[in-house]
Amino acid sequence: MLKALKLFLKGALLDQSTEKIEAKSKELNDRLLLLILSHKLGVPNPFFYHCVELLPYLSENLKGLERRILDRKSLISRLTGEIGEP
Amino acid sequence: MNLNGFKYFFLSGKGGVGKTTSSILMALYFSQRGEKTLLVSLDPAHSLGIALKAKLGELPKKVEEKLFALEVNPEKEMEKYLKKVEKEARQIVSPAFLGEVEEELKLAHSSPGALELATADAIYRIAVEGRGFDKIVFDTAPSGYTVRLVASPNSIVKWWKGLISVREEALKYEFLSNLKEKRKLKEIFREDPILKVLTKRLKEYETLKELFTGKETAFGVVFNEGLLPREIGVRTVRELEEAGAPVKFLVFNRVKNGIESLKAKNKIVIKVPEFKEEPIGIEKLKELLKLTRWEVK
Ligand SMILES: Nc1ncnc2c1ncn2[C@@H]1O[C@H](COP(=O)(O)OP(=O)(O)O)[C@@H](O)[C@H]1O
Ligand SMILES: [Mg+2]
């Protein structure tokens, strides 16, 4: 019963904007990757050594990351505003 | 104040001042009082084994009643870790993306802080695995830089938590957009390899922060006689204290006449005299320990 409800809710959401939700997830993973690879923005990440362990799992986001950064320049200031630099 | 209330001891100081010798003296002191003691060297030159005249490895080896010793090499640990990540990348990353990942991994070898963090990893592992010991003495302490890297007030732990919440949010949206997903969100979180790594690191940093700044830990700086060596020692104390490390004792090594005294507020002073020969091998070190004076405040 609960499962059916969940599926229904999911379906409703999906109908609305599957692509938007998917894009949001991708954007968040980009964000994560940018925090790890902050040297790409000229800010070295002091914990880079411990973060490289994550790269194999985020490899698909790595491709074209720089281009997407340029597309969403404002992301950077939002990022540091939210979490701050280490 | 005396040293018995602490469990972890880190000895700092410039090369050649007598860190290894003093670490052994301290460890011997505790083991002779019946405390099960582990002596750890993080020096790639294997100086601890040389001073003890014992072949040491990565596992604790009994060198005396109640006294165990081991040697780890952070540089080697760093290579091992990066190799493991590389291997993992080759297994799970599709060929189209592998090049970029490998490039970043190459950067990690020489990235600032890499060796310090590898040292921190080794200390963490030993502290966790060494729970069965009463005292753990580290020869070659983490530098002020290392301490700052893992122990600065809350901002670092907050940073790792920030990464965790970004990943959780990404997974949430992925979950919402994937109708075929049968698992609960909680299960997805639990099984996600990225969250696994992040929570593992968060735990490590929380533990190290406590280890480097907590009540169970005493940092010590080894001094030599003379104006310049003393100035260098004072600077080391200051650097460690600014990083938040609790410097609780000073070792004044190779004291020749014992006249020179070290004024130190709220610090235990250990005076090790100049030995008649090189204090190498456990018997000579035991002899030197008998001549050592502990000025407890
Ligand atoms: N109190 C002492 N009396 C005589 N020789 C000493 C004394 N302390 C250290 N030495 C010798 O000085 C050298 C450097 O000491 P060591 O403990 O290896 O320094 P570190 O670990 O700081 O590099 C070694 O050869 C050691 O045997
Ligand atoms: Mg040494």
Side-chain angles (χ1 to χ4, degrees), chain B:
Chain B
M1 179 168 74
N2 67 54
L3 290 175
N4 294 314
F6 303 101
K7 171 167 181 182
Y8 304 98
F9 300 86
F10 292 101
L11 280 91
S12 234
K14 273 214 79 146
V17 290
K19 288 183 297 298
T20 302
T21 307
S22 311
S23 307
I24 300 170
L25 294 177
M26 276 192 100
L28 260 175
Y29 169 82
F30 290 127
S31 64
Q32 287 181 354
R33 297 171 142 242
E35 310 266 18
K36 191 177 171 194
T37 304
L38 179 63
L39 184 52
V40 177
S41 166
L42 301 166
D43 180 3
H46 299 306
S47 51
L48 183 63
I50 295 168
L52 285 170
K53 282 193 178 164
K55 192 152 174 49
L56 303 176
E58 292 186 11
L59 293 173
K61 183 176 178 176
K62 190 170 176 182
V63 291
E64 195 49 32
E65 203 46 45
K66 295 261 180 190
L67 180 58
F68 298 78
L70 64 82
E71 273 175 348
V72 275
N73 183 345
E75 266 166 63
K76 249 208 211 132
E77 303 246 324
M78 180 172 128
E79 296 297 324
K80 221 173 14 181
Y81 160 78
L82 290 174
K83 276 243 167 64
K84 201 191 91 203
V85 179
E86 220 178 295
K87 199 173 142 200
E88 187 146 31
R90 264 186 260 116
Q91 276 168 359
I92 64 171
V93 176
S94 78
F97 306 124
L98 190 59
E100 302 224 18
V101 172
E102 283 180 332
E103 217 154 283
E104 293 299 333
L105 283 177
K106 249 185 248 149
L107 283 179
H109 275 269
S110 52
S111 67
L115 191 61
E116 283 78 8
L117 291 178
T119 305
D121 284 344
I123 293 171
Y124 172 64
R125 209 192 58 231
I126 291 160
V128 170
E129 287 170 4
R131 288 220 173 99
F133 288 92
D134 302 316
K135 307 282 175 198
I136 304 184
V137 180
F138 289 89
D139 172 15
T140 41
S143 68
Y145 177 67
T146 310
V147 174
R148 205 170 306 118
L149 208 51
V150 295
S152 55
N154 299 324
S155 66
I156 290 159
V157 162
K158 217 168 118 196
W159 188 80
W160 286 101
K161 283 183 177 161
L163 295 193
I164 289 173
S165 69
V166 172
R167 178 58 182 171
E168 283 181 349
E169 219 185 325
L171 286 174
K172 211 170 71 193
Y173 281 103
E174 223 169 277
F175 171 76
L176 288 174
S177 69
N178 183 3
L179 256 182
K180 287 193 213 99
E181 180 60 74
K182 292 216 166 53
R183 295 173 298 170
K184 290 198 183 92
L185 192 55
K186 231 164 113 186
E187 283 170 68
I188 294 173
F189 283 0
R190 205 180 327 115
E191 288 165 18
D192 181 48
I194 293 181
L195 281 180
K196 268 188 197 153
V197 170
L198 289 173
T199 43
K200 175 187 80 179
R201 290 299 178 199
L202 177 64
K203 196 170 151 226
E204 175 180 353
Y205 277 76
E206 281 172 338
T207 308
L208 280 170
K209 182 185 165 164
E210 177 59 26
L211 186 63
F212 288 168
T213 61
K215 284 195 176 67
E216 285 195 302
T217 297
F219 273 78
V221 175
V222 184
F223 283 71
N224 280 162
E225 259 176 326
L227 234 63
L228 191 62
R230 179 184 289 213
E231 188 46 48
I232 291 167
V234 169
R235 216 177 298 157
T236 308
V237 173
R238 200 187 309 132
E239 192 209 9
L240 283 169
E241 285 183 336
E242 275 169 8
V247 180
K248 300 289 183 191
F249 64 97
L250 308 175
V251 182
F252 199 16
N253 187 32
R254 311 191 80 148
V255 179
K256 289 194 188 79
N257 42 32
I259 293 167
E260 199 170 4
S261 76
L262 213 57
K263 282 204 193 70
K265 248 188 278 160
N266 302 320
K267 288 189 188 12
I268 293 161
V269 175
I270 302 166
K271 283 188 181 166
V272 184
E274 173 75 20
F275 199 57
K276 56 185 192 257
E277 55 188 315
E278 233 189 350
I280 281 180
I282 201 93
E283 292 311 319
K284 284 180 196 165
L285 285 154
K286 276 184 187 166
E287 219 180 302
L288 181 55
L289 179 61
K290 279 191 199 143
L291 304 168
T292 298
R293 281 182 26 221
W294 304 71
E295 294 178 3
V296 174
K297 296 210 170 131

